[in-house]
Amino acid sequence: MSEKNWFSRLTRGLKKSTSALTGNISSLFTKRKLDDEALEELEELLIAADLGVTTSARICANIARTRFNKDVGEREIREALADEIEAILTPVAKPLIPDPAHKPHVVLVVGVNGTGKTTTIGKLARHFTAEGLKVMMAAGDTFRAAAIEQLQIWGKRTASPVIAGKPGADAAGLAYGALQQAKEQNMDLLLIDTAGRLQNKSHLMAELEKISRVLKKIDPEAPHSVLLVLDATTGQNALSQVEVFQQVCQVTGLVMTKLDGTARGGVLVALADKFALPVHAIGVGEGAEDLRPFDARQFAEALCGLSEEDANK
Amino acid sequence: MFESLSNRLGEVFERLRKRGALNESDVDEALREVRIALLEADVSLPVVKKFIKGVREKAVGQEVLRSVTPGQMVIKIVHDHLVETLGAESVALNLSAVPPVAVMMVGLQGSGKTTSTAKIAKWLQTKERKKVLMASLDVQRPAAQEQLKVLGEQAGVATLPIVPGQMPVEIAKRAMQAARLQGMDVVLLDTAGRLHVDEALMAEIAAVKKVAEPQEILLVADALTGQDAVNVASRFHERVTLTGIMLTRIDGDGRGGAALSMRAVTGCPIKMLGTGEGLDDIEPFHPDRIASRILGMGDVVSLVEKAAETMEKEEADRLAAKVAKGRFDLEDLRDQLRQMQKMGGLEGMMGLLPGAQKVKKQMAAANIDPKLLSRQEAIINSMTPRERRNPKLINASRKRRIASGSGTSIPEVNRVLKQWKQMSVMMKKVKKLGKKGMMRAGLEGILPRM
């Protein structure tokens, strides 16, 4: 799929989400003075896109600094917004690149229930096998019924081995065994699935910590990457998710899924602002090719409805 | 999950409470805080705006200004309005139709439909004594049908045999047919997760709806959902006319704004809550209690219910008898520690008690270890039965032995003893106050000032 094509897919997804935001901006700024009232309304719109109260206030303050009490047009405001958002997002837009020095590069995938961890692993496997890497998957979600089967189906689709235990088996033991086998079979990449867990369940978080601890027995640097999968429909709770998962298992990067709905994923901006963790990829559809690298400018433009306008031209 | 919201509002109300007369700008200021608190709790913007407008109208009117305690009055108005928005009464699942009654579950991917289906099935089968059949119409996600089958086995609920390659509408027909033949009361149809903007899949559930004529169409929604909650709920509602909402992941630390938003835009009652990963973790929704919890007024009813569930009857009676006599030894303290752990530990209980929000925050600030309870239990376990019954015996050398026996330190042993002392004083107070007094004064009436 060409670059242009995936971009239109993202904008198509985000268009639905941003039409509310941008529609409101247009009604807000046909041409008017950027006064306190207008700023407050702008701030509300950002909050409505899940950017959160703090980040929204900061962006608005930045925009007000140069444009307060000036007449502004809709396009100008959108561009100013996109610039502000891009500035926050650019430092975090980094793709996931397995280090060839590691044999295998171990990726632990974590997150709360239902964010799309297993699907993301399947898509990652597809992506990296297509790049010619030898990929192994470990079905570490031994809790949810049929999670193992789900990953095995992805294994068949990508012709990659899947290490699985029995339902209810110890996930840490499974991960340990998987890493051993991946080493023996000289794999390039080991993707370890984990059961979804809410970040406020301390016993489940302890279990996660154990997984990364036992991996270190084989390879002191493993897991080399820890991906936290976030659901775009999640609101401000994503901040709490990142904070706790980071504490427990040293998250190295984020993946945001389900951006093809009307969810705006604006919380990514708040996350970048607060944690500055790399955003590796975004999910814009159910197909295996719909997991895409994260591009700050395009995301910002799509969020502010700029790309939509360009596409219409 | 509603705690953060109640904390935010708590701060606002704390300030209000202290005020005597309120003028309009006081009310406005308070409402601005309420607005931010609601937005931060992920309540959708349009819902917040409408909510604030409603509260403001009542608050600025004579009601508040004439009231003796205007601050309290504003709080009451916000509370009443919250209850109103959440729905004043709990609404049960409506299964009154000619069996088999179909219940269809819809929602986004990953909202917890399949697990919720199994939970409802188990709940109906054990609590309502219904014969239930579950069928998965999810032909999208790999192994989704498998998942429901496994859950069915775990819950002891029948599932429709899987026929590979069959399409959802066909499966629905087959499920209804099978249920009729087997004399089932309820058929739960678990549909594939779909985005509300996915036309093809939305058309598919509309078609399933035609075939199965479900009595209930429940939207399964994640309590952690952000501002998008309104879009999701209203699109599903437009397309299939929902009859209720099941809110999942309510045991997370999300702020529950989605509950408010979804209820407000669809007008559909929230009927059930998913409260954990186990198949028994399901509860009917009580709007009035949740509203109280949001506002930090406590949820005594839930606490009592929870206590009744977990506390062994005899043990409770024994304790009550001892309290009545004003006697309370370390064995009782240990029993209590155990009960508290069963009820979700210190934090879980505090969230339910009136006036405990502040205590809870202080606990968090003081960095109280959640494992405290089990360590304290270990300390008591390291004592001899005689010491437990007569703590006055415990001298310095006994303390040393207890500390090393339980792997703790002497100061920790001292703390348990001090706690016991305070508790026994408290028990005497409770005895004086009587049961009613305790409810009225809440925790603040009996806890030592922190």
Side-chain angles (χ1 to χ4, degrees):
Chain A
M1 191 174 285
S2 72
E3 187 65 14
K4 170 91 189 119
N5 208 341
W6 95 256
F7 179 53
S8 69
R9 202 180 257 273
L10 169 63
T11 38
R12 206 177 342 120
L14 282 175
K15 193 162 99 185
K16 296 157 201 149
S17 64
T18 47
S19 53
L21 176 62
T22 51
N24 285 335
I25 292 183
S26 348
S27 62
L28 185 56
F29 293 102
T30 36
K31 193 81 180 173
R32 74 184 258 197
K33 202 166 254 180
L34 190 68
D35 52 11
D36 278 329
E37 194 188 334
L39 270 176
E40 193 176 316
E41 283 175 52
L42 187 62
E43 191 182 327
E44 279 180 354
L45 293 176
L46 294 177
I47 292 172
D50 281 327
L51 268 77
V53 175
T54 326
T55 309
S56 301
R58 202 166 74 92
I59 291 175
C60 281
N62 281 350
I63 287 180
R65 205 165 44 217
T66 49
R67 295 181 182 78
F68 191 69
N69 263 342
K70 286 187 187 147
D71 282 329
V72 284
E74 179 207 337
R75 172 98 196 167
E76 191 189 342
I77 279 294
R78 282 192 196 190
E79 264 169 12
L81 270 180
D83 290 346
E84 288 292 335
I85 292 172
E86 186 195 356
I88 297 175
L89 292 179
T90 302
V92 300
K94 295 177 196 149
L96 174 68
I97 302 167
D99 186 344
H102 302 301
K103 282 273 179 180
H105 184 99
V106 181
V107 180
L108 187 65
V109 180
V110 301
V112 303
N113 321 58
T115 54
K117 283 176 295 304
T118 310
T119 307
T120 299
I121 288 186
K123 290 177 182 176
L124 284 174
R126 168 70 60 92
H127 174 79
F128 286 116
T129 46
E131 280 194 354
L133 296 186
K134 280 171 78 184
V135 180
M136 178 183 275
M137 292 178 265
D141 183 354
T142 52
F143 180 80
R144 180 168 61 93
I148 297 170
E149 286 85 340
Q150 191 183 347
L151 201 64
Q152 277 165 340
I153 292 171
W154 276 106
K156 269 187 215 134
R157 286 181 187 171
T158 58
S160 304
V162 175
I163 307 298
K166 286 205 178 77
D170 176 37
L174 183 95
Y176 184 88
L179 180 50
Q180 266 179 334
Q181 292 195 43
K183 266 197 148 23
E184 279 162 18
Q185 298 176 32
N186 204 22
M187 290 286 164
D188 298 307
L189 189 64
L190 173 64
L191 301 168
I192 303 175
D193 194 11
T194 61
R197 64 202 75 222
L198 288 168
Q199 72 275 19
N200 59 340
K201 304 268 160 114
S202 52
H203 60 290
L204 295 177
M205 295 309 279
E207 186 191 286
L208 197 57
E209 201 235 313
K210 186 179 164 196
I211 296 178
S212 77
R213 201 172 57 228
V214 298
L215 289 174
K216 288 192 190 351
K217 286 186 186 166
I218 301 180
D219 182 346
E221 283 170 55
H224 307 99
S225 307
V226 180
L227 301 190
L228 175 62
V229 180
L230 298 166
D231 181 336
T233 53
T234 306
Q236 299 306 301
N237 190 251
L239 293 164
S240 155
Q241 291 176 16
V242 173
E243 192 178 341
V244 179
F245 274 101
Q246 201 181 10
Q247 267 170 23
V248 173
C249 56
Q250 293 76 47
V251 173
T252 61
L254 308 176
V255 173
M256 177 160 269
T257 61
K258 305 186 204 175
L259 270 167
D260 44 342
T262 55
R264 302 147 196 219
V267 74
L268 263 191
V269 184
L271 289 169
D273 200 18
K274 188 164 176 201
F275 298 100
L277 275 174
V279 179
H280 290 319
I282 52 175
V284 292
E286 301 200 50
E289 71 289 352
D290 291 331
L291 188 74
R292 288 287 158 179
F294 176 72
D295 182 300
R297 181 70 203 172
Q298 285 169 350
F299 190 84
E301 284 187 353
L303 196 63
C304 300
L306 277 169
S307 42
E308 182 188 335
E309 231 168 56
D310 293 338
N312 291 343
K313 266 176 198 166
Chain B
M1 69 161 200
F2 294 101
E3 270 135 42
S4 326
L5 179 54
S6 50
N7 281 346
R8 275 300 301 254
L9 291 176
E11 282 164 28
V12 180
F13 292 153
E14 198 62 28
R15 260 175 279 150
L16 265 186
R17 259 192 207 113
K18 290 177 186 149
R19 304 290 297 267
L22 294 184
N23 57 32
E24 210 163 303
S25 74
D26 290 334
V27 173
D28 275 345
E29 197 196 329
L31 287 184
R32 205 163 18 244
E33 293 289 326
V34 171
R35 201 190 68 131
I36 292 179
L38 290 174
L39 284 172
E40 281 196 330
D42 288 328
V43 182
S44 303
L45 185 64
V47 179
V48 173
K49 281 188 162 170
K50 207 173 141 216
F51 183 84
I52 296 292
K53 192 164 163 263
V55 172
R56 197 175 184 285
E57 272 166 21
K58 284 191 211 159
V60 185
Q62 313 164 341
E63 270 186 70
V64 169
L65 301 179
R66 266 208 319 233
S67 144
V68 200
T69 51
Q72 293 283 10
M73 198 65 203
V74 173
I75 296 166
K76 187 179 178 303
I77 292 171
V78 174
H79 175 258
D80 290 351
H81 217 73
L82 262 181
V83 174
E84 210 179 295
T85 313
L86 285 169
E89 274 175 22
S90 33
V91 184
L93 288 179
N94 173 17
L95 301 174
S96 51
V98 184
V101 181
V103 175
M104 190 159 90
M105 314 287 285
V106 301
L108 299 182
Q109 297 99 327
S111 55
K113 280 177 304 303
T114 307
T115 309
S116 298
T117 304
K119 284 182 182 179
I120 292 183
K122 190 172 182 201
W123 190 75
L124 287 175
Q125 195 160 284
T126 51
K127 300 255 161 84
E128 310 263 305
R129 310 224 162 269
K130 301 273 187 198
K131 284 182 76 182
V132 185
L133 177 72
M134 301 193 287
S136 170
L137 313 186
D138 187 350
V139 295
Q140 300 281 325
R141 192 180 51 153
Q145 292 180 301
E146 275 296 305
Q147 186 185 353
L148 191 69
K149 188 180 143 220
V150 174
L151 289 173
E153 282 159 16
Q154 286 171 10
V157 176
T159 47
L160 190 73
I162 300 169
V163 176
Q166 205 170 29
M167 294 313 284
V169 175
E170 296 308 311
I171 303 176
K173 274 187 199 158
R174 188 158 60 89
M176 296 313 290
Q177 186 68 30
R180 242 168 255 132
L181 290 173
Q182 295 167 35
M184 293 289 179
D185 298 314
V186 181
V187 181
L188 287 168
L189 300 172
D190 176 25
T191 66
R194 67 205 66 228
L195 286 165
H196 44 292
V197 286
D198 188 328
E199 257 318 302
L201 280 171
M202 287 304 261
E204 180 191 287
I205 38 173
V208 170
K209 185 187 167 185
K210 241 185 210 159
V211 173
E213 296 176 345
Q215 184 76 4
E216 286 273 7
I217 300 176
L218 296 180
L219 174 67
V220 180
D222 184 343
L224 307 180
T225 310
Q227 296 284 332
D228 198 40
V230 261
N231 295 323
V232 175
S234 55
R235 297 278 184 99
F236 270 103
H237 194 49
E238 276 163 27
R239 204 56 208 254
V240 290
T241 322
L242 304 170
T243 60
I245 295 165
M246 166 143 186
L247 213 54
T248 59
R249 289 207 251 307
I250 193 133
D251 50 329
D253 61 356
R255 309 181 194 184
L260 217 62
S261 307
M262 295 199 185
R263 162 78 215 199
V265 293
T266 60
C268 288
I270 297 165
K271 294 194 169 176
M272 306 299 274
L273 302 177
T275 57
E277 294 192 332
L279 287 176
D280 293 314
D281 296 328
I282 181 170
E283 273 176 24
F285 179 71
H286 300 284
D288 45 340
R289 296 187 199 172
I290 296 289
S292 293
R293 220 190 290 182
I294 290 179
L295 293 180
M297 290 176 178
D299 184 358
V300 180
V301 191
S302 286
L303 179 67
V304 172
E305 278 178 7
K306 210 165 188 180
E309 267 174 40
T310 37
M311 239 188 238
E312 280 88 356
K313 185 80 175 54
E314 311 93 88
E315 235 174 279
D317 288 345
R318 203 166 54 82
L319 184 63
K322 280 201 172 177
V323 170
K325 278 188 225 145
R327 265 199 6 237
F328 181 78
D329 61 24
L330 279 167
E331 280 180 349
D332 302 319
L333 181 62
R334 184 177 57 182
D335 287 347
Q336 278 206 327
L337 291 174
R338 284 184 187 155
Q339 300 284 14
M340 277 161 86
Q341 265 167 320
K342 264 193 236 162
M343 287 167 69
L346 280 175
E347 283 185 72
M349 278 179 59
M350 286 296 185
L352 297 172
L353 273 171
Q357 282 300 334
K358 233 172 36 185
V359 182
K360 197 174 162 189
K361 230 187 293 163
Q362 282 162 332
M363 268 173 55
N367 231 339
I368 290 184
D369 182 359
K371 277 197 183 145
L372 183 76
L373 289 179
S374 44
R375 274 220 308 282
Q376 293 194 330
E377 194 189 324
I379 291 175
I380 301 179
N381 282 341
S382 299
M383 298 174 182
T384 64
R386 242 180 90 215
E387 286 168 343
R388 281 181 220 137
R389 258 169 255 134
N390 188 6
K392 285 187 188 119
L393 277 178
I394 300 173
N395 57 22
S397 95
R398 283 176 192 257
K399 275 180 196 166
R400 233 185 342 260
R401 192 204 75 236
I402 293 166
S404 68
S406 56
T408 56
S409 61
I410 295 181
E412 277 182 280
V413 177
N414 282 334
R415 233 168 283 145
V416 172
L417 291 172
K418 193 176 163 201
Q419 198 182 339
W420 162 77
K421 230 179 227 159
Q422 283 175 342
M423 290 280 266
S424 46
V425 173
M426 202 170 97
M427 287 299 164
K428 280 177 195 144
K429 268 196 212 166
V430 171
K431 193 187 148 203
K432 269 191 213 149
L433 276 169
K435 226 180 192 171
K436 267 191 190 156
M438 182 168 159
M439 286 301 184
R440 202 176 315 125
L443 249 198
E444 285 178 11
I446 41 173
L447 272 190
R449 294 272 162 214
M450 282 176 107

